[in-house]
Amino acid sequence: MSTTSTSAVTLDSISVDLLELLQRQDSQVTRILADEAERQATTLELIASENHVSPAVMHAMGSWMTNKYAEGYPGKRYYSGCVHHDRIEQLAIDRATDLFNCAFANVQPHSGANANLAVYFALLEPGDTFLSVVLSDGGHLTHGSPVSISGKWLKPIHYPLVYDESRDDYGYIDYDAVEQLAVEHKPKIILCGYSAYPRLIDFARFREIAERVGALLISDIAHIAGLCAGGAHPSPFPHSHIVTTTTHKTLRGPRGGLILTNDDQLAKLIDKAVFPGTQGGPLMHIIAAKAVAFGEALRPEFKQYAHQVVANAKALSEHLMSCGYHLLSNGTDNHLMLMDLRKFDAELTGKQAAIWLEDAGIIVNKNTVAGDQRSPFATSGIRIGTPALTTRGLIEDDMRRVGTFIDRVLKAKGDEAVISSVRAEARELCAQYSLPH
Ligand SMILES: *Cc1c(COP(=O)(O)O)cnc(C)c1O
């Protein structure tokens, strides 16, 4: 398995102190953690929703803040002893509102799904109608999938992308259709923001449509939050009534959620809907780590990072298209691209492609593509994103090299010699760029 030299890098890349401490008590858990750190250090992480957090964020997560029940909000807690929890939560709130240029933040949602659930609970009654994109077109489970509470208890109406490849706006949101559906169905909420959409979101256009039908615009920027914060994607404010997001994707913080607004009334409804509406005690150690991550994102280096994420995605997408691959919307404006494999090989599923790539040390996820006839377990596409590799320091030339790796693996159709030679080169590239330490 691991050689002495790679596990030294591995220990270093988390925290020698903490791992040594853990090692003394529980060598089984330590072994697994170290193996995972090594896996991350020696593979190319291209999952669009993942990133590598800083050691500072990791330390804050593993801190004393986890020991406290802090139900309520700063200054209004149910338990004694929350003085420092009030300070840390207020700091996280202040940094979040600075970062996204808005008036209110709720930093307590345990995840992006919880943030969305709280917003639905704050604004909707069972059976109410809202507009969103369907999962198979790049939407999220929480945007009305029948297997989610959002689809079971509410009534989602899905707006389309432009599917016609001869159009200039192929693969973009079909804004005219959004408007038509809004007029027809009079939804209480219009939801924008997606999990597999490679283009910029026109928040101003969405707001216009929302105003026309008296709906609230909710922007779920889970994927692009770091790009918005770093100025590499237009801001959802002032156009959105409410913004929800995760904190662990491009924003590069701990796993968690966040809800933002400028409206005093909506802020009150949101606070009640998070606690006690849909959650119990907040994860204060995670809130501490959110504060650290927001602090990092407020620094000038983060702007540079966000722009590099986009430049890297552009370089990789152009390289893949030059090798003959078909990407949804023929490119990308953000951190991700969606490869439609149907034109490359009608028999090849996203599932099989992802397995070959993983064997070669390249980590992506299978993903449905617009009009996909295959199930979400098979799919006809793969989603590829640059946030994690950009954190490690890879730039455009490296991304083109990664593009040749992907091309060689897919064209080899499972040939083991090709996979193992790419695996060796991928390891070599990884060795040039350490995890944050
Ligand atoms: C990732 C994501 C979420 C949910 O985040 P979790 O933290 O996994 O619950 C919500 N909305 C969108 C658009 C996402 O991409």
Side-chain angles (χ1 to χ4, degrees), residues 53 57 61 246-249 252-257 285-291 293:
V53 299
V57 167
M61 280 191 271
T246 61
T247 49
H248 51 274
K249 298 180 184 175
R252 212 165 63 184
R255 308 197 75 76
H285 56 307
I286 297 297
I287 289 173
K290 285 174 183 173

Side-chain angles (χ1 to χ4, degrees), residues 49 110-116 138-143 192-196 220-224 244-249 255-257 383:
S49 51
H110 301 332
S111 68
N114 280 49
N116 287 344
H140 189 258
L141 279 166
T142 60
H143 295 186
C192 68
Y194 318 97
S195 300
D220 177 352
I221 61 166
H223 259 260
I224 56 172
T244 63
T245 182
T246 61
T247 49
H248 51 274
K249 298 180 184 175
R255 308 197 75 76
R383 189 183 64 166

Side-chain angles (χ1 to χ4, degrees), residues 151-416:
K152 277 218 161 93
W153 292 4
L154 303 170
K155 191 170 166 238
I157 304 285
H158 295 306
Y159 53 87
L161 311 179
V162 173
Y163 305 114
D164 179 354
E165 285 176 38
S166 67
R167 277 175 57 171
D168 283 349
D169 56 354
Y170 156 66
Y172 285 64
I173 299 296
D174 187 340
Y175 291 94
D176 294 335
V178 177
E179 178 149 26
Q180 215 174 325
L181 287 166
V183 168
E184 185 181 336
H185 295 279
K186 296 268 177 291
K188 275 200 186 163
I189 281 178
I190 297 176
L191 209 61
C192 68
Y194 318 97
S195 300
Y197 182 66
R199 294 297 178 178
L200 301 182
I201 297 169
D202 187 346
F203 295 114
R205 179 83 201 270
F206 269 110
R207 176 62 179 252
E208 248 173 55
I209 297 169
E211 290 294 329
R212 185 168 167 205
V213 301
L216 293 174
L217 178 62
I218 314 297
S219 302
D220 177 352
I221 61 166
H223 259 260
I224 56 172
L227 305 185
C228 296
H233 187 290
S235 168
F237 289 116
H239 310 294
S240 312
H241 293 96
I242 295 175
V243 170
T244 63
T245 182
T246 61
T247 49
H248 51 274
K249 298 180 184 175
T250 50
L251 194 49
R252 212 165 63 184
R255 308 197 75 76
L258 174 66
I259 308 176
L260 307 163
T261 184
N262 276 318
D263 184 297
D264 192 25
Q265 284 308 109
L266 290 175
K268 290 195 175 85
L269 292 174
I270 289 164
D271 279 354
K272 277 193 205 139
V274 172
F275 176 83
T278 53
Q279 290 190 170
L283 309 175
M284 294 309 299
H285 56 307
I286 297 297
I287 289 173
K290 285 174 183 173
V292 174
F294 300 156
E296 289 178 358
L298 281 163
R299 294 195 192 131
E301 304 92 274
F302 195 83
K303 279 197 174 54
Q304 211 179 329
Y305 165 70
H307 285 94
Q308 190 64 50
V309 166
V310 173
N312 281 351
K314 194 144 287 195
L316 180 57
S317 67
E318 278 163 9
H319 187 84
L320 290 171
M321 287 189 293
S322 77
C323 296
Y325 296 97
H326 181 84
L327 302 183
L328 180 76
S329 84
N330 299 311
T332 179
D333 296 326
N334 61 20
H335 62 299
L336 69 81
M337 62 215 74
L338 207 58
M339 186 188 284
D340 185 342
L341 294 164
R342 291 173 296 193
K343 292 221 178 62
F344 169 67
D345 177 349
E347 302 301 308
L348 179 60
T349 60
K351 180 181 176 184
Q352 178 62 70
I355 291 171
W356 288 337
L357 288 166
E358 182 173 3
D359 289 343
I362 297 160
I363 312 299
V364 301
N365 65 282
K366 58 182 180 276
N367 212 102
T368 51
V369 283
D372 209 326
Q373 299 297 308
R374 292 191 172 104
S375 79
F377 300 103
T379 82
S380 303
I382 52 175
R383 189 183 64 166
I384 306 172
T386 55
L389 289 188
T390 306
T391 292
R392 289 177 81 162
L394 280 76
I395 57 172
E396 289 92 327
D397 273 344
D398 305 307
M399 295 314 301
R400 285 185 274 272
R401 179 139 184 246
V402 170
T404 63
F405 294 167
I406 294 172
D407 179 45
R408 281 159 63 196
V409 170
L410 294 182
K411 286 187 179 148
K413 312 256 183 230
D415 182 306
E416 281 178 27

